[in-house]
Each structure stands twice: as C-alpha cells, then as structure tokens.
C-alpha cells in the first residue's frame, strides 16, 4: 500500500478575528466614556438644583392653603354648634365638643364633623379660645409650620380672624 499526501485548502486568517475588531464609526468602540457619563450627571444635578426649590416652595404654599381650608371648615362646625346650643364650646371643652356631646346638653345635634378633629398640615393641634382675642367671639388657629405663636411665611399663624 502506498501512502499519499492529502492537501487541504484552508484560508489563512490574517489580523484579528471579527469578534476583536472595533465596532462603530472609525476605530473607536461603541459605548459611553466615564467623562461623558459625568457630564450628563452634572447636567441632571444642575437641573434638579433649579427645579427642587421651586417644587418644595409649592409644597409649603399647599400646606398653608390646606390649613386655611381646615380652619374654615372647623369654623363652620363651631357655628353650627352655636346654632344648636345657643352658645359656643368653652375653651375647656375645646374642639372635642364638636364630636362628643358636652354634659347636660339635650339640644346637641352632633357630631358636627364626619371624623375626629384633624391636626393641622404640620401635625400640630388647632388652638381654640373662647372668647377670642382678635375681636371675635372665638379664635381658631394653627401656629403654622413652627408650632409657635407669631412668625412669617410658612411659620405665620393661620386663624379665623
């Protein structure tokens, strides 16, 4: 038996295989560099720096409006109490008299509120005084965000006067 030589024709690869060649335009690999990502992060940070203060100031204004609306609703409930009993709740009875009948009051037709007396938007109880100190029969107020008498802006007192 005679042995012969067998030849196989295979193309010879020159350079890099296809998987190692750069993709995209030119010789640069696709994707973002760290510098590009940092620039985008800085731009987003600047935009947030301009938008956030305006957003949070609107939240404060909304809380003041909510407190005014609650004072108005409580004022109306107190007036309904006055119509039924021909008197105001005393300072000692407070706003609780709108939901729980005072002792020996057969004309009480409450509760005058659908739910318990709410706290102001900042979580502080409303202040009720009878007689009032602002030329009213009664004072109903929230001391604002700081919970202290006086103040300006969001810390200003909100009342029925």
């Amino acid at each position: 038996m005679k042995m012969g030589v067998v030849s196989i024709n295979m193309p010879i690869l020159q350079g890099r295989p296809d998987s190692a060649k750069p993709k995209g335009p030119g010789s640069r690999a696709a994707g973002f560099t760290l510098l590009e990502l940092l620039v985008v992060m800085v731009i987003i940070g600047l935009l947030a720096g301009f938008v956030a203060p305006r957003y949070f100031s609107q939240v404060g204004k909304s809380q003041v409006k909510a407190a005014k609306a609650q004072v108005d609703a409580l004022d109306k409930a107190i007036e309904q109490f006055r119509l039924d009993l021909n008197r105001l709740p005393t300072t000692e009875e407070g706003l609780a008299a709108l939901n729980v009948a005072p002792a020996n009051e057969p004309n009480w037709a409450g509760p005058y509120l659908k739910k318990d007396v709410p706290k102001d938007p900042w979580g502080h109880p409303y202040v009720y005084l009878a007689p009032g100190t602002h030329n009213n029969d009664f004072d109903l107020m929230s001391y604002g965000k700081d919970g202290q008498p006086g103040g300006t802006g969001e810390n200003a007192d909100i009342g029925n006067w």
Side-chain angles (χ1 to χ4, degrees):
M1 266 186 115
K2 208 172 177 193
M3 300 266 247
V5 176
V6 178
S7 71
I8 299 175
N9 290 333
M10 289 184 65
I12 298 174
L13 294 176
Q14 295 189 358
R16 294 187 263 178
D18 285 342
S19 63
K21 289 184 181 175
K23 295 175 172 60
S27 63
R28 192 168 167 212
F32 298 107
T33 65
L34 181 60
L35 182 62
E36 290 169 331
L37 292 174
L38 287 174
V39 167
V40 169
M41 295 290 285
V42 167
I43 290 170
I44 291 172
L46 288 172
L47 289 174
F50 288 121
V51 172
R54 291 185 182 156
Y55 170 75
F56 288 116
S57 71
Q58 292 301 320
V59 170
K61 289 177 186 175
S62 296
Q63 289 175 319
V64 169
K65 288 180 183 178
K68 287 179 181 179
Q70 285 180 335
V71 164
D72 186 51
L74 291 171
D75 186 275
K76 286 177 174 48
I78 292 168
E79 289 298 337
Q80 186 63 45
F81 180 99
R82 183 199 318 231
L83 288 173
D84 290 345
L85 277 70
N86 202 27
R87 69 172 183 87
L88 289 168
T90 64
T91 301
E92 291 77 28
E93 292 172 334
L95 297 175
L98 299 175
N99 284 336
V100 178
N104 301 321
E105 289 293 348
N107 293 334
W108 188 84
Y112 298 97
L113 299 173
K114 291 181 181 179
K115 297 180 181 177
D116 289 338
V117 177
K119 292 191 181 287
D120 71 12
W122 301 279
H124 307 293
Y126 284 99
V127 178
Y128 173 78
L129 299 172
T133 59
H134 291 88
N135 295 324
N136 286 342
D137 293 336
F138 66 93
D139 286 347
L140 177 62
M141 67 191 109
S142 163
Y143 286 141
K145 184 177 182 178
D146 64 354
Q148 303 295 320
T152 59
E154 291 179 40
N155 295 332
D157 297 348
I158 299 163
N160 66 333
W161 54 86

